[in-house]
Amino acid sequence: MFRMFGVRQCYRTMSQLRYLLLAAVTLSHFTDGIKLWNSKTPRRNTIWRGNWNMDTSTYRGQESVSAEPNPDGSNYKVSAIFLSQGSYGRNDLFSGAEFYSSPLEPRECLTLSYKVWFDDNFDFAYGGKLPGLYGGGVNCTAGGDPGKDCFTSRFIWRTGGMGGVALFTTSQQTPEFCTTEGVECNDAWGHRLGSGSFQFQTGTWYTIQQTVRLNTPGQADGYVRIVVGGVGKVYDVSNVVIRESSDVKVNGILFSNYFDGTSSCSGSPVDTHVYFRYFALKDNVC
């Protein structure tokens, strides 16, 4: 009896070990980084409260924000941003929303991911902004204070739904950076990274993810990585100067959603919505 118990116990132990090893492999494959923070399903229009730690002084466009049924027909709500016909550049009521959020302690590297859905009638027109990361303080976008040591790295869409990232940061870039494939340097309106490396369509959920790792001050060793839809790396640029001082960290999320532009011809052609859900901050690639 003792021997049989020992054999069975050994078998159970080996089975448990195999299960733990399988679970570890599965977990490492599917978690894709350690999740540090997330915000899943809104229940009311005050969807950015709670654990977002929003800088309320920067919140613009509350009238555009609501919690709406999932456009894919699922039985839970999502965050919706209403963009009225003709709206652009956060110039009027119902022209989109923007705020800064710092739900974590500042750090050297951070990954933001979330899901976005463009309404069936959405017209990409000339382009617009989507949420991204920021660091070194607020008011560091085009039209802000270019003398500050800070950065923003927001997803964008352009004509036809072509995607990329707009990086607004120091102008002290190397010639190698500005000649990198997929980079369009522009100190006034932000450097475009990965332009056309992926394309949005209407009426479907996209999971988009960006990682920002800050450079060593005085060196061009920062990087930005874009991943879309779980298909792996879409774009990666690794010779970026994002900061000039070690005091600048990645602070958190800059939520932006509106049509770009400086005149009505760049505004939304129709009344429409952009939907968001499942924001998460992780430590991917850091």
Side-chain angles (χ1 to χ4, degrees):
M1 292 294 292
F2 177 80
R3 283 185 176 179
M4 290 186 66
F5 174 80
V7 170
R8 289 172 181 169
Q9 182 65 35
C10 180
Y11 176 78
R12 284 196 296 267
T13 302
M14 292 300 294
S15 296
Q16 291 168 354
L17 179 59
R18 282 194 296 270
Y19 174 81
L20 290 172
L21 287 172
L22 178 60
V25 170
T26 302
L27 185 63
S28 66
H29 180 72
F30 287 106
T31 56
D32 197 21
I34 303 301
K35 192 180 298 176
L36 305 171
W37 171 90
N38 70 81
S39 177
K40 295 182 180 179
T41 304
R43 293 182 174 83
R44 55 193 183 280
N45 289 358
T46 54
I47 54 180
W48 311 122
R49 308 302 183 184
N51 70 349
W52 280 77
N53 192 29
M54 179 202 296
D55 182 340
T56 55
S57 69
T58 65
Y59 192 13
R60 303 290 183 270
Q62 294 95 320
E63 70 283 347
S64 283
V65 178
S66 62
E68 302 293 339
N70 192 322
D72 70 9
S74 301
N75 60 350
Y76 55 84
K77 290 188 175 182
V78 297
S79 307
I81 307 297
F82 176 62
L83 301 168
S84 62
Q85 183 177 8
S87 67
Y88 66 95
R90 290 287 309 113
N91 67 319
D92 205 347
L93 291 175
F94 304 108
S95 58
E98 185 169 79
F99 62 84
Y100 290 79
S101 163
S102 53
L104 298 172
E105 289 297 314
R107 56 196 66 213
E108 296 286 309
C109 178
L110 199 59
T111 295
L112 167 68
S113 67
Y114 57 89
K115 294 181 180 292
V116 60
W117 174 299
F118 295 92
D119 221 345
D120 289 342
N121 74 335
F122 194 89
D123 187 322
F124 292 97
Y126 293 103
K129 292 291 193 299
L130 292 168
L133 294 166
Y134 84 98
V138 302
N139 195 30
C140 198
T141 60
D145 182 358
K148 293 175 66 176
D149 193 3
C150 52
F151 78 91
T152 63
S153 177
R154 290 174 290 180
F155 279 107
I156 57 173
W157 77 82
R158 303 178 87 169
T159 302
M162 302 303 290
V165 162
L167 176 68
F168 191 84
T169 185
T170 175
S171 61
Q172 304 302 311
Q173 301 296 333
T174 65
E176 292 77 15
F177 170 73
C178 292
T179 57
T180 300
E181 184 178 357
V183 172
E184 302 171 35
C185 281
N186 188 315
D187 292 333
W189 299 102
H191 308 307
R192 279 8 183 201
L193 311 181
S195 296
S197 58
F198 63 98
Q199 185 173 11
F200 293 113
Q201 303 290 335
T202 61
T204 188
W205 282 113
Y206 287 90
T207 300
I208 58 177
Q209 175 178 290
Q210 67 166 268
T211 297
V212 171
R213 188 183 71 188
L214 300 177
N215 61 293
T216 305
Q219 299 182 38
D221 58 357
Y223 75 68
V224 177
R225 174 169 291 173
I226 304 169
V227 177
V228 177
V231 299
K233 183 179 67 176
V234 171
Y235 183 79
D236 197 354
V237 58
S238 57
N239 54 345
V240 194
V241 179
I242 303 174
R243 63 178 178 179
E244 298 179 30
S245 168
S246 59
D247 292 336
V248 175
K249 310 292 184 185
V250 187
N251 289 87
I253 301 168
L254 169 52
F255 185 99
S256 288
N257 185 218
Y258 54 82
F259 280 83
D260 271 338
T262 56
S263 67
S264 58
C265 66
S266 58
S268 176
V270 295
D271 287 346
T272 191
H273 287 86
V274 181
Y275 302 95
F276 298 93
R277 71 183 185 96
Y278 202 59
F279 283 82
L281 293 171
K282 298 178 280 187
D283 70 344
N284 296 43
V285 201
C286 296

